[in-house]
Amino acid sequence: MRGYIVRRFLYMLLLLLMGSIVSFAVITLPPGDYLTAYVMDLKARGSDVSVELEEALRHQYGLDQPIYMQYLKWLWRVLHGDLGRSFSWQRPVTDLIKERLPMTMMMSFTALIFTYAIAIPVGIYSAVRQYSAGDYFFTFMTFIGVSIPNFLLALILMIVFNKVFGLSVGGLFSPEYTQAPWSWAKFVDLLKHLPVPLVVISFSGTAWLTRTMRAMLLDELRRPYVQTARAKGLRETKLLVKYPIRVAILPIASTIGWALPGIFSGSTIVAIVLDLPTIGPLLFKSLTTEDMFLAASTVLITTTLTLIGTFISDILIAWLDPRIQYA
C-alpha cells in the first residue's frame, strides 16, 4: 500500500508539471493578447495609441518576450507563492482570489455536503424499496435533475420568485448589505439568499449520484453472496452496511476527483446567472479579456485540486475495495 501511494504521488507531481504547461499554453494560444484587446478598446473610445506607446506597454507587461520565457518566469513566481499580476484589475492575482475564495468555498462546500447527504440515503432507499411509491417519486425527480441544466433552473427560479413572491434571488446579499461589514443582520440576509443558489448548484449532482448509488446497490443486492448472507440469518441492516453498500459507494468515492476543484471554482455559469461573488465569474472574465496570469493561475489551481482529488479517490477506493491490486 505504501509503495502504491508513493508511485501515485510521483505521478501526480509529473501530471501537475504537464498541467501547468497546458494551462499556460491554452491561455496564450488564441491570436493576440491582453494588450491587443486593450489597445483596440482604447482606439474604439477615440484614443490615439501610437506604436511607441504600444511597444512600451508590451515591454512593461513582459509580453515582448517569447512564450516559453513568459511561462518559465510565471512558473518560477508560482513556485515562490506569487501568481502574478492581473492586467485587467491591476492587482495581484493572489489578492483577487483571496477576496472571493471564502464565499466560493462556503457555497461549494455547503452544496457538496447537501448533495452527498441527500444522494446516498435516497439512493439506498430507492434500491432497497425498489418499485415502491417512494422509489418512483425519487426516480422521477432524478430524471428532472439530470435533464434540466443548472443555469436554466436558475433562470426558472429567478422568474418564479420574482413573479410569484416578488423577491429577487440574484446575488447572496441585498443591495444594502453588499458592501456593509459583517454583522448579525448581514448573516441573516445571507441565509435568506442561500437556499436558491444551494438548490440550483446541487440539484443536478444530487440526481446523478442518486441514480448511480441506486444502480450500483441494486446490482450488488442481486449477488450470490448477499443471498448466502441472508440465508445464514445475518440481519438486513448489518448485511447492507457491511457488504453491498461498501461496494456500491465506490463510484461515489471516485467523485472526489471533481468535487475538490468544484469547491474552489464553483459553478461558473450558475454564478454568472445568479450574480454570485465567487471565483467562477472572475475566471470567465479573465478568459474573455485574455488576462493570462489570472486565467492561467486559476486554471492551474483547478488542475492541482483535480489531481489531489483523484489521488485521494484512488487511495480511498483502494482502501474500500480489497480486490484492487497495488501493483
Side-chain angles (χ1 to χ4, degrees):
M1 181 67 170
R2 184 178 300 175
Y4 173 77
I5 294 176
V6 172
R7 285 194 299 272
R8 283 292 293 109
F9 182 75
L10 294 177
Y11 292 154
M12 184 182 70
L13 294 181
L14 178 61
L15 289 173
L16 184 58
L17 176 61
M18 297 172 61
S20 69
I21 297 174
V22 173
S23 300
F24 197 84
V26 168
I27 301 303
T28 55
L29 275 179
D33 48 34
Y34 169 78
L35 187 59
T36 304
Y38 178 68
V39 170
M40 290 179 62
D41 182 60
L42 289 178
K43 290 181 178 179
R45 297 180 183 181
S47 301
D48 184 20
V49 181
S50 63
V51 177
E52 291 78 10
L53 177 59
E54 185 175 349
E55 290 179 353
L57 289 173
R58 189 170 297 277
H59 179 71
Q60 177 184 341
Y61 290 131
L63 299 175
D64 57 339
Q65 299 176 352
I67 294 298
Y68 70 89
M69 284 300 300
Q70 296 181 41
Y71 165 75
L72 291 175
K73 288 185 176 181
W74 171 72
L75 182 62
W76 178 257
R77 289 198 298 265
V78 169
L79 293 175
H80 288 79
D82 180 11
L83 299 179
R85 189 174 182 84
S86 168
F87 297 148
S88 303
W89 300 83
Q90 291 299 311
R91 295 178 57 194
V93 172
T94 306
D95 293 346
L96 292 172
I97 293 178
K98 281 182 179 179
E99 286 180 358
R100 296 180 177 236
L101 187 59
M103 199 60 64
T104 304
M105 293 188 66
M106 183 275 297
M107 282 292 306
S108 301
F109 192 68
T110 305
L112 185 65
I113 294 177
F114 183 79
T115 297
Y116 282 89
I118 292 180
I120 295 177
V122 170
I124 295 174
Y125 172 85
S126 293
V128 174
R129 306 292 183 184
Q130 188 181 18
Y131 302 135
S132 65
D135 179 35
Y136 282 122
F137 171 76
F138 290 126
T139 300
F140 174 72
M141 293 301 295
T142 56
F143 274 123
I144 295 178
V146 299
S147 302
I148 301 179
N150 285 352
F151 71 90
L152 180 59
L153 179 62
L155 291 173
I156 293 173
L157 291 181
M158 289 178 70
I159 294 173
V160 169
F161 272 76
N162 185 50
K163 297 294 185 181
V164 178
F165 302 105
L167 298 175
S168 174
V169 294
L172 290 177
F173 301 99
S174 301
E176 61 271 21
Y177 291 108
T178 302
Q179 301 297 331
W182 278 101
S183 62
W184 177 252
K186 184 173 182 178
F187 178 72
V188 172
D189 186 67
L190 172 64
L191 294 181
K192 292 179 180 178
H193 286 76
L194 192 58
V196 171
L198 185 63
V199 170
V200 171
I201 293 173
S202 59
F203 192 55
S204 177
T206 302
W208 278 110
L209 290 181
T210 300
R211 290 176 59 82
T212 302
M213 188 67 195
R214 179 183 184 274
M216 292 297 298
L217 187 55
L218 280 174
D219 185 59
E220 288 301 315
L221 290 176
R222 298 188 182 101
R223 302 282 184 180
Y225 75 86
V226 176
Q227 305 300 327
T228 303
R230 282 176 178 156
K232 290 183 176 180
L234 192 64
R235 288 188 299 108
E236 190 70 17
T237 303
K238 186 177 181 180
L239 167 65
L240 287 172
V241 174
K242 190 174 182 180
Y243 298 110
I245 291 179
R246 181 175 180 178
V247 177
I249 208 171
L250 290 176
I252 309 297
S254 66
T255 59
I256 296 176
W258 54 261
L260 282 182
I263 291 177
F264 170 76
S265 61
S267 183
T268 301
I269 299 179
V270 173
I272 294 173
V273 172
L274 293 178
D275 191 26
L276 303 179
T278 57
I279 293 176
L282 190 69
L283 172 60
F284 178 78
K285 182 178 179 180
S286 68
L287 292 173
T288 55
T289 59
E290 298 189 63
D291 194 345
M292 51 189 277
F293 293 133
L294 177 57
S297 298
T298 307
V299 172
L300 179 62
I301 294 174
T302 305
T303 303
T304 303
L305 291 175
T306 302
L307 293 174
I308 293 175
T310 306
F311 176 68
I312 295 174
S313 296
D314 289 345
I315 296 175
L316 186 59
I317 291 173
W319 174 69
L320 288 172
D321 192 348
R323 297 172 298 178
I324 293 179
Q325 300 295 321
Y326 304 133

